[in-house]
Amino acid sequence: MTAETDVFACEKTMTLPRLLELRAQWHPSRSAVTYLAEEDEFEETSRLSYGELYERAQNVAFALREAISLPTAETPEQSPRVLLLYPAGLEFLVGFLGAQLAGCIPVPTCFPKPHREMPRLNSAARDCSPIAILTDRRTSPKIERSKLEASVREVPILATDELLANVTDRLPTSDACHPDSIAFLQYTSGSTSDPKGVIVRQRNLIANLESIRRGFGLSWPSDAAVDGDASIERGLFWLPFYHDMGLIGGILEALYIGGHSILLSPRTFLQRPIRWLQAISDHQATISGAPNFAYQLCVDRIPPSQTDSLSLHCWKIAFCGAEPISPRTLRDFGHRFSGNGLGGDVFYPCYGLAEATLLVAGGDGPAQPNVLTVERASFENGVVKVLDEFAASKLRKRERHELVGCGRAVANTELRIVDPGSLKPLGDGSIGEIWVRGGGVSSGYWAGVSNERFDAEVDGVGGFCRSGDLGFFHNQQLYVTGRVKDMIILRGRNLFPQDIESTVADCVRAAHEKWTENANVTTPMTVAFSVSGARSEALAIVSELPRDFEATLYTELARRIRRAVIDVHDVDPQHIWLVRAASIPVTTSGKVRRSSCKEAFVDESMRTKYRYDRSSLSEQAPIAFPVLPEKPQNSDEEHVRTEIENWMSAWLVARAGVPPTDVNRETPLADYGLDSMTAVELSGETEDWSGVMLTPEVAWDNPTIAKLSHYIANRYISARV
């Protein structure tokens, strides 16, 4: 470590703006962030050096102060909040840093779909009362104020790429930020009714960035290093920047160590997973990572014919977290790409939570995954019975269960396993709640939300954060086993079952009122939970039917439930079971017994009136691409369009679980209930064989199979005539 970079690890007054200010002074020309806009044919790849990034952030801070009369803040909590609403790209980072330099608290939120409601943004707005929304010039005209939370419909919407300061001697510096300043609010859940904004202070952020550096085993580059030097780490990420893993692990960690962060949009990856690995290969990235589902998607969606040019020897750290980690997924991924140079010791399974900024537990650098085999029956009853290789081989697959170790507590962090009932510490091999204490742990949630979980005490020691996650230690390794309160974790998203249950109950009640013309319908009992699919977790829903509901309407009701859940929560249920009234087990006080219901679901002891069970994507047979003429003529338009229509129809049946009798070329695709990931997969596979780029705007303008096929056929022919 050099004398200058030693300041970053040891200086108690360090903040992110100060760190970047120093880097802009010491190596202004070194590349800081690059965005690869592969999914947008109208936008070129963009790049910012450390000097350019800091100067742009200063310009935004100055212009923000000039545009809005910022209130004086006597405490960090009184600092004004600004919502960040950006598409994928570099402008988000400019707005994020500019808000901090202006003395504001940035609040990252997700980019809304065109003409759709914005529940995550609105829930954050209701909670934190922002004084402005920051975005870019392309997005600003598209924000529909009528869909915003009422309290923010009149706040200024500022495009940061249009905020240019002309007075350089008055540009803000990092002096306004101090360790107790609030770096940002991280909204944690997928819930739209109970938002929780974690207060991440500058000291929390710097402490966790240092913990990540040590956990990953990263070295500081020399202060004189320039682009291309081997000492400069290159990270490559597609994770959303409003997600803590994407923002901190994917962007800020690279800036912290003086490295180079190369970014793709989430859509780029989801359309074609090969782009993630190809970009790692092309840019010789050393660090990358994602939730478990992304590694599985690469295994499922990338055919061997696409990997010949991949060279993954450069990939030193492949971290995996944010959702349950599957041993099978890591094994399959490692085996699948070992021929491309991927080492078996590059994996970094880890555990973290937004309440602790990000990383809580991980290894001492990357290594072969540590897989523990336990007896399933004992494990499901809360007892860890570890099996050696010989004992495991004597049991059937369904009688044993594998877990991936997430390492030990990272630097400046302490972990305890505590009985959530008695609040007593537990020893090795005992499952309990994971409690965390350390420099990265937040002081609490934003105003108005209970903070009791942030100052828990065990054995007379206070300051612990109750994670709500269950786990145990074995041979100094942390193994995460589930949630205390049944949170559903799908594709790295946290979903509260109560929210999904409320959506389903509303849907069933509305359908019953419409079909029976009965305005006094009793709210049906519904339960939602996650179950193990062939490759990853899936959503299951069990809903009671009203007593006088006609059997001829069961299929339509299941279809409506699926559409409602996708529309509100953006997740596609793999199972929807309709049961007779009073079938769902409840407590004496009338609360749903989710664990009992899940047990009845898994062992199929629950009697159902109707079942919708969608096969998982990984179990589907490949769909042959349409056979199209290589050199089409205009006269071939009808043939090409018909081939495309047939392929899309087959795709909806095989991939989206649509009954063949329901496929209609004039039905809007949205009516088939495609969640965002499924819709992106459809567009990605279509682009693979047609070469026609499908943006969200194209899909919006051509909403049916007929119209979209017509569009693709015309573009396909015009590109080849």
Side-chain angles (χ1 to χ4, degrees):
M1 186 183 297
T2 67
E4 290 176 330
T5 51
D6 184 55
V7 173
F8 299 152
C10 304
E11 179 59 62
K12 300 298 183 183
T13 60
M14 184 57 63
T15 65
L16 181 65
R18 176 57 178 161
L19 183 152
L20 291 175
E21 185 177 41
L22 292 174
R23 291 213 174 281
Q25 294 171 5
W26 293 341
H27 35 75
S29 299
R30 184 189 298 174
S31 294
V33 286
T34 295
Y35 177 64
L36 307 176
E38 294 176 74
E39 86 291 352
D40 190 341
E41 61 183 340
F42 302 108
E43 184 177 345
E44 295 180 356
T45 297
S46 51
R47 168 192 170 278
L48 289 173
S49 67
Y50 280 94
E52 292 167 336
L53 174 60
Y54 189 70
E55 182 179 357
R56 285 288 318 283
Q58 283 183 298
N59 287 337
V60 168
F62 177 86
L64 184 57
R65 289 179 178 178
E66 293 290 302
I68 301 174
S69 179
L70 300 178
T72 301
E74 296 182 0
T75 66
E77 286 73 13
Q78 293 176 339
S79 300
R81 280 75 60 198
V82 292
L83 286 177
L84 307 185
L85 185 59
Y86 290 91
L90 302 187
E91 200 60 32
F92 162 82
L93 185 56
V94 171
F96 180 80
L97 296 171
Q100 292 187 15
L101 286 171
C104 297
I105 302 173
V107 183
T109 188
C110 64
F111 188 67
K113 299 175 184 177
H115 314 291
R116 295 287 294 273
E117 300 297 327
M118 298 177 279
R120 184 182 175 96
L121 181 147
N122 284 332
S123 64
R126 282 191 296 272
D127 190 56
C128 71
S129 302
I131 64 167
I133 296 175
L134 300 186
T135 185
D136 63 7
R137 71 180 75 181
R138 295 177 62 185
T139 304
S140 179
K142 300 177 183 178
I143 298 177
E144 300 178 54
R145 287 187 180 270
S146 63
K147 296 188 182 299
L148 291 173
E149 158 72 18
S151 61
V152 295
R153 286 177 186 168
E154 303 303 322
V155 302
I157 298 177
L158 306 177
T160 50
D161 48 353
E162 293 181 339
L163 299 179
L164 301 178
N166 297 317
V167 187
T168 56
D169 59 344
R170 293 171 54 194
L171 290 178
T173 66
S174 63
D175 295 341
C177 297
H178 54 84
D180 275 333
S181 296
I182 299 176
F184 61 101
L185 296 183
Q186 177 68 55
Y187 280 84
T188 60
S189 74
S191 167
T192 61
S193 60
D194 187 24
K196 292 182 176 66
V198 177
I199 297 172
V200 180
R201 301 183 188 275
Q202 292 286 349
R203 56 178 167 81
N204 300 139
L205 180 58
I206 295 298
N208 205 244
L209 290 173
E210 176 62 13
S211 296
I212 295 172
R213 187 189 71 82
R214 295 187 187 184
F216 283 6
L218 303 177
S219 301
W220 304 97
S222 65
D223 298 327
V226 297
D227 289 349
D229 283 6
S231 64
I232 297 178
E233 302 285 0
R234 294 172 301 282
L236 194 141
F237 308 97
W238 54 265
L239 300 162
F241 42 66
Y242 55 82
H243 190 289
D244 51 0
M245 182 187 283
L247 173 59
I248 300 166
I251 300 177
L252 300 186
E253 181 62 29
L255 300 181
Y256 175 73
I257 63 171
H260 183 190
S261 186
I262 304 165
L263 308 176
L264 301 169
S265 77
R267 179 179 173 83
T268 294
F269 164 70
L270 293 173
Q271 278 187 319
R272 296 179 187 163
I274 184 63
R275 286 170 164 170
W276 177 28
L277 306 188
Q278 190 64 60
I280 291 173
S281 174
D282 292 346
H283 295 272
Q284 290 295 283
T286 55
I287 308 168
S288 194
N292 186 90
F293 87 88
Y295 292 93
Q296 187 61 56
L297 201 62
C298 288
V299 173
D300 293 339
R301 285 275 311 276
I302 301 177
S305 60
Q306 292 185 0
T307 61
D308 291 344
S309 64
L310 288 183
S311 175
L312 301 178
H313 298 82
C314 56
W315 199 352
K316 298 191 303 185
I317 302 172
F319 60 81
C320 183
E323 65 180 9
I325 303 172
S326 166
R328 177 182 174 181
T329 294
L330 297 189
R331 280 196 296 265
D332 288 352
F333 186 88
H335 177 73
R336 173 70 180 78
F337 298 103
S338 61
N340 300 101
L342 183 72
D345 57 354
V346 303
F347 291 108
Y348 192 87
C350 51
Y351 165 72
L353 61 154
E355 288 81 358
T357 302
L358 181 60
L359 187 63
V360 166
D364 295 325
Q368 288 274 359
N370 194 319
V371 179
L372 189 71
T373 305
V374 299
E375 184 185 71
R376 184 181 293 275
S378 299
F379 178 74
E380 291 179 347
N381 287 303
V383 178
V384 178
K385 184 177 179 180
V386 179
L387 302 173
D388 58 27
E389 186 175 350
F390 177 77
S393 67
K394 296 297 182 181
L395 297 178
R396 290 175 293 180
K397 184 177 180 180
R398 66 181 183 180
E399 295 176 328
R400 59 184 189 268
H401 181 62
E402 289 186 326
L403 297 163
V404 174
C406 292
R408 297 178 291 183
V410 294
N412 194 28
T413 302
E414 181 181 354
L415 292 178
R416 299 282 184 91
I417 302 297
V418 180
D419 185 300
S422 67
L423 305 185
K424 299 296 183 181
L426 298 172
D428 280 10
S430 296
I431 299 175
E433 185 179 11
I434 302 169
W435 288 22
V436 188
R437 188 174 73 152
V441 175
S442 168
S443 58
Y445 297 123
W446 189 246
V449 180
S450 173
N451 288 322
E452 59 183 13
R453 67 182 292 186
F454 286 93
D455 195 20
E457 181 178 310
V458 59
D459 277 350
V461 180
F464 281 92
C465 171
R466 299 185 61 170
S467 71
D469 294 312
L470 295 173
F472 65 92
F473 280 111
H474 177 74
N475 289 343
Q476 300 184 324
Q477 282 273 324
L478 174 67
Y479 294 86
V480 182
T481 63
R483 287 289 301 178
V484 174
K485 294 185 178 179
D486 299 321
M487 181 180 285
I488 299 169
I489 304 177
L490 298 173
R491 298 172 182 165
R493 292 178 57 212
N494 295 336
L495 301 165
F496 287 103
Q498 297 90 341
D499 291 341
I500 297 174
E501 291 159 2
S502 177
T503 297
V504 175
D506 289 345
C507 177
V508 176
R509 184 172 57 251
H512 191 206
E513 290 176 353
K514 177 180 179 180
W515 291 333
T516 64
E517 298 183 355
N518 181 0
N520 299 308
V521 176
T522 302
T523 300
M525 187 69 72
T526 298
V527 61
F529 46 85
S530 63
V531 294
S532 296
R535 299 282 184 147
S536 60
E537 293 293 292
L539 175 63
I541 293 170
V542 178
S543 181
E544 291 181 352
L545 289 161
R547 295 186 186 277
D548 58 346
F549 209 82
E550 293 185 12
T552 56
L553 298 173
Y554 292 167
T555 301
E556 177 60 23
L557 179 61
R559 187 180 294 115
R560 289 186 177 218
I561 290 173
R562 184 180 176 211
R563 291 174 185 168
V565 173
I566 290 172
D567 189 51
V568 177
H569 305 282
D570 201 24
V571 59
D572 191 353
Q574 190 162 318
H575 307 279
I576 299 174
W577 287 12
L578 303 180
V579 300
R580 61 184 177 84
S583 294
I584 293 178
V586 296
T587 66
T588 54
S589 61
K591 295 180 180 178
V592 171
R593 293 167 55 194
R594 287 193 187 85
S595 59
S596 298
C597 190
K598 182 174 180 177
E599 288 175 9
F601 177 93
V602 171
D603 63 23
E604 297 198 10
S605 61
M606 181 174 290
R607 297 179 64 181
T608 60
K609 305 289 282 185
Y610 177 85
R611 291 188 183 187
Y612 164 78
D613 294 298
R614 176 190 173 195
S615 298
S616 67
L617 174 64
S618 61
E619 295 172 328
Q620 300 291 347
I623 304 172
F625 289 161
V627 179
L628 303 179
E630 293 184 6
K631 297 181 179 180
Q633 304 298 315
N634 290 328
S635 58
D636 293 324
E637 194 272 341
E638 182 177 356
H639 166 70
V640 172
R641 176 172 48 79
T642 300
E643 286 289 316
I644 295 172
E645 285 183 359
N646 292 339
W647 182 87
M648 284 192 173
S649 298
W651 195 98
L652 288 172
V653 173
R655 295 287 192 262
V658 178
T661 55
D662 290 350
V663 177
N664 187 303
R665 60 192 299 273
E666 300 295 345
T667 298
L669 290 168
D671 287 358
Y672 292 117
L674 308 184
D675 66 4
S676 61
M677 183 170 175
T678 307
V680 168
E681 288 173 352
L682 172 59
S683 64
E685 288 196 43
T686 304
E687 289 180 24
D688 282 344
W689 54 260
S690 70
V692 177
M693 189 162 292
L694 300 180
T695 65
E697 289 74 19
V698 168
W700 177 264
D701 293 336
N702 301 274
T704 67
I705 291 176
K707 290 185 177 180
L708 191 56
S709 297
H710 179 72
Y711 173 86
I712 296 170
N714 284 337
R715 293 296 296 270
Y716 178 85
I717 293 172
S718 63
R720 290 165 174 78
V721 171

